[in-house]
Protein backbone atom coordinates (compact mmCIF):
# COMPACT_ATOMS: atom_id res chain seq x y z
CA UNK A 1 0.00 0.00 0.00
CA UNK A 2 2.75 2.44 0.91
CA UNK A 3 4.72 1.52 -2.17
CA UNK A 4 1.79 2.17 -4.48
CA UNK A 5 1.10 5.54 -2.86
CA UNK A 6 4.75 6.58 -3.22
CA UNK A 7 4.76 5.71 -6.91
CA UNK A 8 1.65 7.74 -7.43
CA UNK A 9 3.14 10.80 -5.71
CA UNK A 10 6.38 10.30 -7.56
CA UNK A 11 4.52 10.33 -10.87
CA UNK A 12 2.67 13.50 -9.92
CA UNK A 13 5.95 15.18 -8.93
CA UNK A 14 7.62 14.27 -12.18
CA UNK A 15 4.63 15.51 -14.16
CA UNK A 16 4.70 18.83 -12.29
CA UNK A 17 8.40 19.32 -12.96
CA UNK A 18 7.90 18.50 -16.65
CA UNK A 19 5.03 21.00 -16.85
CA UNK A 20 7.20 23.69 -15.27
CA UNK A 21 10.01 23.00 -17.70
CA UNK A 22 7.65 23.12 -20.67
CA UNK A 23 6.09 26.36 -19.39
CA UNK A 24 9.52 27.87 -18.81
CA UNK A 25 10.68 26.86 -22.29
CA UNK A 26 7.55 28.29 -23.88
CA UNK A 27 7.95 31.52 -21.94
CA UNK A 28 11.60 31.80 -23.00
CA UNK A 29 10.77 31.11 -26.63
CA UNK A 30 7.94 33.63 -26.65
CA UNK A 31 10.16 36.37 -25.24
CA UNK A 32 13.24 35.72 -27.41
CA UNK A 33 12.08 37.86 -30.35
CA UNK A 34 13.62 41.35 -30.73
CA UNK A 35 12.20 44.37 -28.93
CA UNK A 36 13.10 47.98 -29.84
CA UNK A 37 12.71 50.72 -27.27
CA UNK A 38 14.59 53.71 -28.73
CA UNK A 39 17.22 55.25 -30.97
CA UNK A 40 20.21 57.35 -29.95
CA UNK A 41 23.24 59.01 -31.51
CA UNK A 42 26.29 56.82 -32.07
CA UNK A 43 28.71 59.74 -31.60
CA UNK A 44 30.49 60.08 -28.28
CA UNK A 45 29.23 62.15 -25.35
CA UNK A 46 27.62 64.67 -25.29
CA UNK A 47 25.93 63.64 -28.55
CA UNK A 48 25.06 60.08 -27.53
CA UNK A 49 21.58 61.17 -26.43
CA UNK A 50 18.20 59.87 -27.46
CA UNK A 51 16.81 60.76 -30.87
CA UNK A 52 13.19 61.73 -31.44
CA UNK A 53 13.52 61.65 -35.25
CA UNK A 54 16.12 61.44 -38.01
CA UNK A 55 16.65 62.19 -41.66
CA UNK A 56 18.38 59.58 -43.85
CA UNK A 57 21.94 60.66 -44.61
CA UNK A 58 24.08 57.57 -44.09
CA UNK A 59 24.72 58.41 -40.43
CA UNK A 60 25.36 55.79 -37.74
CA UNK A 61 22.88 55.37 -34.89
CA UNK A 62 22.35 52.97 -31.98
CA UNK A 63 19.13 50.99 -31.75
CA UNK A 64 18.24 50.11 -28.16
CA UNK A 65 16.09 47.28 -26.88
CA UNK A 66 16.30 43.57 -26.04
CA UNK A 67 17.20 40.37 -27.85
CA UNK A 68 18.97 42.27 -30.61
CA UNK A 69 21.66 39.73 -31.39
CA UNK A 70 21.52 37.57 -34.50
CA UNK A 71 19.90 40.24 -36.66
CA UNK A 72 19.09 39.14 -40.20
CA UNK A 73 17.67 42.40 -41.57
CA UNK A 74 17.06 45.96 -40.38
CA UNK A 75 14.81 48.20 -42.47
CA UNK A 76 14.29 51.97 -42.26
CA UNK A 77 11.06 52.80 -44.07
CA UNK A 78 11.46 49.51 -45.91
CA UNK A 79 15.07 50.19 -47.01
CA UNK A 80 17.83 47.86 -45.72
CA UNK A 81 20.41 49.39 -43.38
CA UNK A 82 24.06 48.40 -43.15
CA UNK A 83 25.30 46.84 -39.90
CA UNK A 84 28.19 44.91 -38.36
CA UNK A 85 27.61 42.12 -35.84
CA UNK A 86 30.76 43.12 -33.96
CA UNK A 87 28.92 46.27 -32.84
CA UNK A 88 25.93 44.35 -31.47
CA UNK A 89 24.98 43.30 -27.95
CA UNK A 90 21.77 41.90 -26.57
CA UNK A 91 20.54 45.41 -25.75
CA UNK A 92 22.02 47.58 -28.52
CA UNK A 93 22.85 47.47 -32.22
CA UNK A 94 24.94 50.00 -34.15
CA UNK A 95 23.58 50.45 -37.68
CA UNK A 96 24.06 52.85 -40.58
CA UNK A 97 20.92 54.65 -41.70
CA UNK A 98 20.40 54.40 -45.49
CA UNK A 99 21.83 57.34 -47.42
CA UNK A 100 18.74 57.52 -49.61
CA UNK A 101 15.20 56.46 -48.89
CA UNK A 102 13.04 56.72 -52.06
CA UNK A 103 10.11 58.40 -50.32
CA UNK A 104 8.20 58.70 -53.60
CA UNK A 105 7.76 54.91 -53.66
CA UNK A 106 7.69 53.96 -49.96
CA UNK A 107 4.49 52.11 -49.02
CA UNK A 108 2.29 53.95 -46.53
CA UNK A 109 2.63 51.05 -44.08
CA UNK A 110 6.44 51.40 -44.12
CA UNK A 111 6.60 55.15 -43.49
CA UNK A 112 8.16 56.12 -40.15
CA UNK A 113 9.07 52.57 -39.19
CA UNK A 114 12.16 50.58 -38.24
CA UNK A 115 11.65 46.84 -38.80
CA UNK A 116 14.10 44.61 -36.96
CA UNK A 117 14.35 40.93 -37.85
CA UNK A 118 16.38 38.23 -36.07
CA UNK A 119 16.43 34.45 -36.30
CA UNK A 120 13.79 34.44 -33.54
CA UNK A 121 11.31 36.83 -35.13
CA UNK A 122 10.76 40.49 -36.01
CA UNK A 123 9.34 43.68 -34.59
CA UNK A 124 8.26 46.99 -36.11
CA UNK A 125 9.10 50.15 -34.20
CA UNK A 126 7.30 53.41 -35.01
CA UNK A 127 9.86 56.19 -35.36
CA UNK A 128 9.83 59.56 -37.14
CA UNK A 129 11.97 59.45 -40.31
CA UNK A 130 11.77 62.85 -41.96
CA UNK A 131 12.11 63.64 -45.66
CA UNK A 132 15.35 65.68 -46.04
CA UNK A 133 15.05 69.12 -47.64
CA UNK A 134 15.91 69.23 -51.36
CA UNK A 135 19.32 70.36 -52.54
CA UNK A 136 20.03 71.94 -55.95
CA UNK A 137 23.55 71.29 -57.24
CA UNK A 138 23.36 72.18 -60.94
CA UNK A 139 21.01 73.09 -63.77
CA UNK A 140 21.62 71.76 -67.26
CA UNK A 141 20.60 75.01 -69.01
CA UNK A 142 19.64 78.08 -66.99
CA UNK A 143 18.66 80.02 -70.14
CA UNK A 144 16.66 77.30 -71.91
CA UNK A 145 13.91 78.32 -74.31
CA UNK A 146 10.23 77.57 -73.59
CA UNK A 147 9.50 73.99 -74.59
CA UNK A 148 13.10 72.83 -74.06
CA UNK A 149 13.94 70.10 -71.57
CA UNK A 150 15.95 70.94 -68.46
CA UNK A 151 17.63 68.61 -65.98
CA UNK A 152 18.25 69.54 -62.35
CA UNK A 153 20.87 67.61 -60.41
CA UNK A 154 20.90 67.53 -56.63
CA UNK A 155 19.41 65.45 -53.83
CA UNK A 156 16.15 64.65 -52.04
CA UNK A 157 13.73 65.48 -54.83
CA UNK A 158 10.92 63.64 -53.02
CA UNK A 159 7.25 64.44 -52.42
CA UNK A 160 7.43 67.56 -54.60
CA UNK A 161 4.43 69.89 -54.53
CA UNK A 162 5.66 72.79 -56.71
CA UNK A 163 8.45 73.78 -59.12
CA UNK A 164 9.06 77.21 -60.57
CA UNK A 165 11.53 77.75 -63.42
CA UNK A 166 10.72 81.12 -64.90
CA UNK A 167 7.11 80.03 -64.43
CA UNK A 168 5.10 77.16 -62.95
CA UNK A 169 6.24 73.72 -64.07
CA UNK A 170 3.16 71.55 -64.54
CA UNK A 171 4.75 68.10 -64.96
CA UNK A 172 8.10 66.55 -64.24
CA UNK A 173 10.01 63.27 -63.84
CA UNK A 174 12.22 62.32 -60.89
CA UNK A 175 14.85 59.58 -60.71
CA UNK A 176 14.20 56.82 -58.15
CA UNK A 177 17.04 58.03 -55.92
CA UNK A 178 15.78 61.62 -55.97
CA UNK A 179 18.97 63.06 -57.47
CA UNK A 180 17.71 64.10 -60.93
CA UNK A 181 14.66 66.13 -61.84
CA UNK A 182 13.58 66.67 -65.46
CA UNK A 183 10.89 68.92 -66.93
CA UNK A 184 9.94 71.08 -69.90
CA UNK A 185 10.38 74.86 -69.59
CA UNK A 186 7.03 76.70 -69.37
CA UNK A 187 5.82 78.50 -72.49
CA UNK A 188 5.97 81.91 -70.78
CA UNK A 189 8.94 82.69 -68.55
CA UNK A 190 10.18 85.56 -66.42
CA UNK A 191 13.50 85.97 -64.64
CA UNK A 192 13.62 84.50 -61.17
CA UNK A 193 15.18 81.78 -59.01
CA UNK A 194 14.57 78.10 -59.62
CA UNK A 195 12.50 77.00 -56.62
CA UNK A 196 11.46 73.50 -55.57
CA UNK A 197 8.88 72.90 -52.84
CA UNK A 198 8.61 69.52 -51.14
CA UNK A 199 7.03 68.18 -47.97
CA UNK A 200 10.15 69.44 -46.15
CA UNK A 201 9.93 73.02 -47.40
CA UNK A 202 11.17 75.16 -50.27
CA UNK A 203 14.68 75.58 -51.62
CA UNK A 204 15.70 78.09 -54.28
CA UNK A 205 18.80 79.18 -56.17
CA UNK A 206 20.42 82.42 -54.95
CA UNK A 207 20.57 83.53 -58.61
CA UNK A 208 17.98 83.88 -61.36
CA UNK A 209 17.30 81.63 -64.29
CA UNK A 210 15.95 82.99 -67.58
CA UNK A 211 17.59 86.32 -66.75
CA UNK A 212 19.21 88.25 -69.63
CA UNK A 213 20.17 91.36 -67.65
CA UNK A 214 21.21 90.76 -64.01
CA UNK A 215 25.01 90.54 -63.80
CA UNK A 216 25.30 90.10 -67.57
CA UNK A 217 28.69 91.04 -69.03
CA UNK A 218 27.71 90.26 -72.64
CA UNK A 219 24.92 88.22 -74.22
CA UNK A 220 25.57 89.42 -77.79
CA UNK A 221 22.02 90.82 -77.97
CA UNK A 222 20.55 93.39 -75.58
CA UNK A 223 23.83 93.52 -73.59
CA UNK A 224 26.33 93.94 -76.42
CA UNK A 225 29.87 94.68 -75.23
CA UNK A 226 31.46 92.49 -77.90
CA UNK A 227 34.56 93.61 -79.75
CA UNK A 228 34.20 92.81 -83.45
CA UNK A 229 37.82 91.84 -84.07
CA UNK A 230 37.49 88.56 -82.12
CA UNK A 231 35.49 85.36 -82.79
CA UNK A 232 32.60 85.44 -85.21
CA UNK A 233 28.92 85.70 -84.28
CA UNK A 234 25.97 83.68 -85.52
CA UNK A 235 22.26 83.29 -84.77
CA UNK A 236 21.57 80.04 -86.61
CA UNK A 237 19.16 77.63 -84.91
CA UNK A 238 20.14 74.98 -87.42
CA UNK A 239 23.77 74.80 -86.32
CA UNK A 240 23.10 75.38 -82.61
CA UNK A 241 19.42 74.59 -81.82
CA UNK A 242 17.87 76.26 -78.79
CA UNK A 243 19.97 79.40 -79.10
CA UNK A 244 18.87 82.70 -77.60
CA UNK A 245 19.54 85.22 -80.39
CA UNK A 246 23.18 85.75 -81.28
CA UNK A 247 26.12 83.80 -79.89
CA UNK A 248 29.88 83.68 -80.45
CA UNK A 249 31.70 80.75 -82.04
CA UNK A 250 35.08 79.73 -80.66
CA UNK A 251 36.93 77.94 -83.45
CA UNK A 252 40.48 76.66 -83.64
CA UNK A 253 39.99 76.40 -87.43
CA UNK A 254 41.32 72.87 -87.58
CA UNK A 255 43.69 71.08 -85.23
CA UNK A 256 45.67 73.38 -82.95
CA UNK A 257 49.27 72.28 -82.56
CA UNK A 258 50.64 71.20 -79.21
CA UNK A 259 51.67 74.17 -77.02
CA UNK A 260 50.11 76.62 -79.46
CA UNK A 261 49.00 79.73 -77.61
CA UNK A 262 48.35 82.02 -80.56
CA UNK A 263 44.90 83.03 -79.29
CA UNK A 264 44.90 86.19 -81.44
CA UNK A 265 44.43 84.23 -84.65
CA UNK A 266 40.93 84.43 -86.13
CA UNK A 267 38.16 82.76 -84.13
CA UNK A 268 40.29 81.73 -81.17
CA UNK A 269 39.21 84.38 -78.67
CA UNK A 270 36.17 86.30 -77.44
CA UNK A 271 36.83 89.82 -76.18
CA UNK A 272 34.32 92.20 -74.67
CA UNK A 273 34.39 95.72 -73.28
CA UNK A 274 34.06 96.52 -69.59
CA UNK A 275 31.03 95.65 -67.47
CA UNK A 276 30.27 95.26 -63.77
CA UNK A 277 31.35 91.84 -62.47
CA UNK A 278 30.46 92.29 -58.79
CA UNK A 279 28.79 95.29 -57.13
CA UNK A 280 31.23 97.42 -55.12
CA UNK A 281 29.05 96.79 -52.06
CA UNK A 282 29.76 93.03 -52.35
CA UNK A 283 33.54 93.11 -52.79
CA UNK A 284 34.02 91.99 -49.18
CA UNK A 285 32.22 88.71 -49.89
CA UNK A 286 34.30 85.51 -50.02
CA UNK A 287 35.70 84.93 -53.52
CA UNK A 288 33.83 81.62 -53.91
CA UNK A 289 30.44 83.25 -53.28
CA UNK A 290 30.38 84.56 -56.86
CA UNK A 291 30.71 82.75 -60.17
CA UNK A 292 31.16 83.44 -63.86
CA UNK A 293 28.49 81.63 -65.85
CA UNK A 294 27.94 81.08 -69.56
CA UNK A 295 26.26 78.66 -71.93
CA UNK A 296 28.21 76.40 -74.26
CA UNK A 297 27.28 74.07 -77.11
CA UNK A 298 29.93 71.61 -78.27
CA UNK A 299 28.51 69.50 -81.13
CA UNK A 300 31.68 67.47 -81.81
CA UNK A 301 34.08 65.65 -79.48
CA UNK A 302 36.51 68.00 -77.76
CA UNK A 303 39.74 67.09 -75.97
CA UNK A 304 43.13 68.68 -75.41
CA UNK A 305 42.19 72.32 -76.03
CA UNK A 306 41.74 74.61 -73.01
CA UNK A 307 39.40 77.59 -72.76
CA UNK A 308 41.15 80.22 -70.61
CA UNK A 309 39.02 82.96 -69.06
CA UNK A 310 40.45 86.25 -67.79
CA UNK A 311 39.33 89.67 -66.59
CA UNK A 312 40.73 92.64 -68.52
CA UNK A 313 43.07 90.36 -70.45
CA UNK A 314 45.14 90.03 -67.27
CA UNK A 315 46.99 86.71 -67.07
CA UNK A 316 47.66 87.04 -63.33
CA UNK A 317 44.46 85.10 -62.60
CA UNK A 318 43.13 82.63 -65.17
CA UNK A 319 40.22 80.17 -64.98
CA UNK A 320 40.73 77.05 -67.08
CA UNK A 321 37.67 75.29 -68.54
CA UNK A 322 38.65 71.73 -69.45
CA UNK A 323 35.57 69.46 -69.17
CA UNK A 324 37.39 66.70 -71.06
CA UNK A 325 39.97 66.35 -68.28
CA UNK A 326 39.19 63.76 -65.62
CA UNK A 327 39.84 64.17 -61.90
CA UNK A 328 43.01 62.07 -62.20
CA UNK A 329 44.26 63.90 -65.29
CA UNK A 330 42.98 61.45 -67.89
CA UNK A 331 41.21 62.49 -71.09
CA UNK A 332 37.57 61.74 -71.90
CA UNK A 333 36.34 63.51 -75.07
CA UNK A 334 33.55 65.96 -74.23
CA UNK A 335 30.49 67.03 -76.23
CA UNK A 336 27.05 68.35 -75.42
CA UNK A 337 23.59 67.53 -76.73
CA UNK A 338 22.66 71.20 -76.99
CA UNK A 339 23.29 74.27 -74.85
CA UNK A 340 24.65 73.64 -71.38
CA UNK A 341 25.31 76.04 -68.51
CA UNK A 342 28.89 76.32 -67.22
CA UNK A 343 29.53 77.62 -63.70
CA UNK A 344 33.04 78.81 -62.84
CA UNK A 345 33.26 80.03 -59.21
CA UNK A 346 35.62 83.01 -59.04
CA UNK A 347 37.74 80.94 -56.67
CA UNK A 348 38.77 78.95 -59.78
CA UNK A 349 40.62 81.97 -61.16
CA UNK A 350 44.17 80.94 -60.23
CA UNK A 351 47.70 82.26 -60.55
CA UNK A 352 50.48 80.79 -62.66
CA UNK A 353 52.96 78.94 -60.46
CA UNK A 354 56.67 78.91 -61.21
CA UNK A 355 57.33 76.47 -64.06
CA UNK A 356 53.60 75.79 -64.27
CA UNK A 357 50.64 76.61 -66.49
CA UNK A 358 48.54 79.75 -66.15
CA UNK A 359 45.51 79.13 -63.96
CA UNK A 360 46.97 76.23 -61.96
CA UNK A 361 48.27 78.08 -58.91
CA UNK A 362 46.46 79.81 -56.07
CA UNK A 363 43.13 81.70 -55.95
CA UNK A 364 42.91 85.40 -55.22
CA UNK A 365 42.74 86.17 -51.48
CA UNK A 366 39.76 88.47 -51.99
CA UNK A 367 37.50 89.90 -54.66
CA UNK A 368 39.25 93.27 -54.72
CA UNK A 369 42.56 91.61 -55.57
CA UNK A 370 40.89 89.67 -58.37
CA UNK A 371 38.54 92.33 -59.76
CA UNK A 372 39.96 95.66 -58.62
CA UNK A 373 38.34 98.25 -56.38
CA UNK A 374 35.60 99.01 -58.92
CA UNK A 375 34.57 95.37 -59.57
CA UNK A 376 34.29 96.38 -63.23
CA UNK A 377 36.15 95.11 -66.29
CA UNK A 378 36.11 93.14 -69.52
CA UNK A 379 35.74 89.42 -70.08
CA UNK A 380 38.34 87.79 -72.31
CA UNK A 381 38.26 84.19 -73.49
CA UNK A 382 41.19 82.45 -75.17
CA UNK A 383 41.67 79.05 -76.81
CA UNK A 384 45.02 77.43 -76.00
CA UNK A 385 46.52 73.98 -76.48
CA UNK A 386 48.77 73.01 -73.59
CA UNK A 387 48.39 69.29 -74.33
CA UNK A 388 51.11 67.15 -75.96
CA UNK A 389 49.12 66.46 -79.15
CA UNK A 390 47.19 68.52 -81.74
CA UNK A 391 43.53 69.07 -80.86
CA UNK A 392 40.61 71.17 -82.04
CA UNK A 393 37.46 72.84 -80.81
CA UNK A 394 34.37 74.39 -82.35
CA UNK A 395 31.84 75.65 -79.79
CA UNK A 396 29.01 78.12 -79.43
CA UNK A 397 29.35 80.45 -76.42
CA UNK A 398 26.64 82.73 -75.03
CA UNK A 399 25.42 84.77 -72.05
CA UNK A 400 28.50 85.73 -70.01
CA UNK A 401 27.34 86.77 -66.56
CA UNK A 402 28.58 86.95 -62.96
CA UNK A 403 26.09 85.97 -60.26
CA UNK A 404 26.09 85.26 -56.54
CA UNK A 405 25.95 81.51 -55.90
CA UNK A 406 26.17 81.52 -52.08
Amino acid sequence: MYKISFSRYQGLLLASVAALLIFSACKKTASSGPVLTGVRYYAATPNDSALASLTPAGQWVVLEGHNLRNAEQILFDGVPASFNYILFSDTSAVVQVPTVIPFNSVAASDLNTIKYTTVAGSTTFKFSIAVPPPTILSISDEMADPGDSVWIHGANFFLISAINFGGTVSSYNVSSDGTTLAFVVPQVTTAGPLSITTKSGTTATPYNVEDDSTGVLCNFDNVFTYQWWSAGLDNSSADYPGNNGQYAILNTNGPLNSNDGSWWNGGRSINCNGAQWVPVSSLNDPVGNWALKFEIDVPDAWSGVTIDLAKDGNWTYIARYEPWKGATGGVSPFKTSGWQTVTMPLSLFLTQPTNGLAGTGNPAPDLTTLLGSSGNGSINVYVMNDSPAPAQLVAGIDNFRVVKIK
Side-chain angles (χ1 to χ4, degrees), residues 42-328:
Y42 177 59
T45 303
N47 292 323
D48 59 350
S49 54
L51 280 165
S53 66
L54 60 81
T55 56
Q59 69 272 41
W60 290 86
V61 298
V62 179
L63 304 182
E64 298 178 312
H66 307 287
N67 307 320
L68 300 183
R69 292 189 187 275
N70 302 316
E72 293 184 324
Q73 189 179 59
I74 304 171
L75 304 177
F76 287 76
D77 278 10
V79 178
S82 298
F83 54 87
N84 187 333
Y85 290 117
I86 296 176
L87 302 175
F88 280 38
S89 72
D90 189 59
T91 58
S92 66
V94 178
V95 302
Q96 185 177 24
V97 179
T99 301
V100 175
I101 292 178
F103 288 95
N104 290 342
S105 58
V106 173
S109 59
D110 288 332
L111 285 172
N112 298 310
T113 64
I114 302 174
K115 186 174 182 180
Y116 198 104
T117 302
T118 70
V119 294
S122 66
T123 186
T124 299
F125 183 63
K126 296 294 290 184
F127 189 79
S128 176
I129 302 175
V131 182
T135 300
I136 300 169
L137 297 179
S138 66
I139 304 171
S140 63
D141 186 358
E142 297 173 9
M143 303 291 282
D145 286 340
D148 288 347
S149 295
V150 167
W151 286 263
I152 312 300
H153 299 284
N156 304 317
F157 297 145
F158 298 121
L159 307 179
I160 295 173
S161 58
I163 302 171
N164 191 289
F165 185 93
T168 301
V169 174
S170 57
S171 62
Y172 54 87
N173 293 309
V174 181
S175 62
S176 60
D177 62 358
T179 61
T180 304
L181 171 64
F183 54 82
V184 174
V185 177
Q187 289 301 312
V188 178
T189 62
T190 56
L194 160 68
S195 64
I196 301 173
T197 301
T198 71
K199 182 179 180 180
S200 300
T202 298
T203 189
T205 56
Y207 53 86
N208 291 342
V209 298
E210 303 292 353
D211 192 341
D212 63 359
S213 59
T214 304
V216 174
L217 308 179
C218 182
N219 62 15
F220 309 101
D221 293 302
N222 62 314
V223 181
F224 194 88
T225 58
Y226 183 64
Q227 296 178 0
W228 284 102
W229 60 271
S230 45
L233 300 184
D234 203 343
N235 61 4
S236 172
S237 297
D239 296 334
Y240 295 90
N243 64 299
N244 289 286
Q246 292 194 113
Y247 50 85
I249 300 177
L250 273 180
N251 192 343
T252 57
N253 294 304
L256 195 61
N257 290 328
S258 174
N259 298 314
D260 189 339
S262 56
W263 57 265
W264 51 87
N265 285 338
R268 296 182 185 174
S269 67
I270 299 172
N271 302 279
C272 302
N273 293 316
Q276 196 69 35
W277 285 54
V278 171
V280 173
S281 60
S282 298
L283 288 176
N284 288 325
D285 288 354
V287 176
N289 283 14
W290 292 78
L292 173 69
K293 288 177 175 279
F294 58 91
E295 273 67 52
I296 191 168
D297 188 340
V298 184
D300 298 312
W302 164 28
S303 61
V305 171
T306 300
I307 294 179
D308 289 331
L309 303 114
K311 177 183 178 289
D312 293 326
N314 189 334
W315 288 82
T316 302
Y317 291 100
I318 292 288
R320 300 171 65 89
Y321 181 55
E322 303 167 306
W324 45 265
K325 182 178 289 187
T328 58

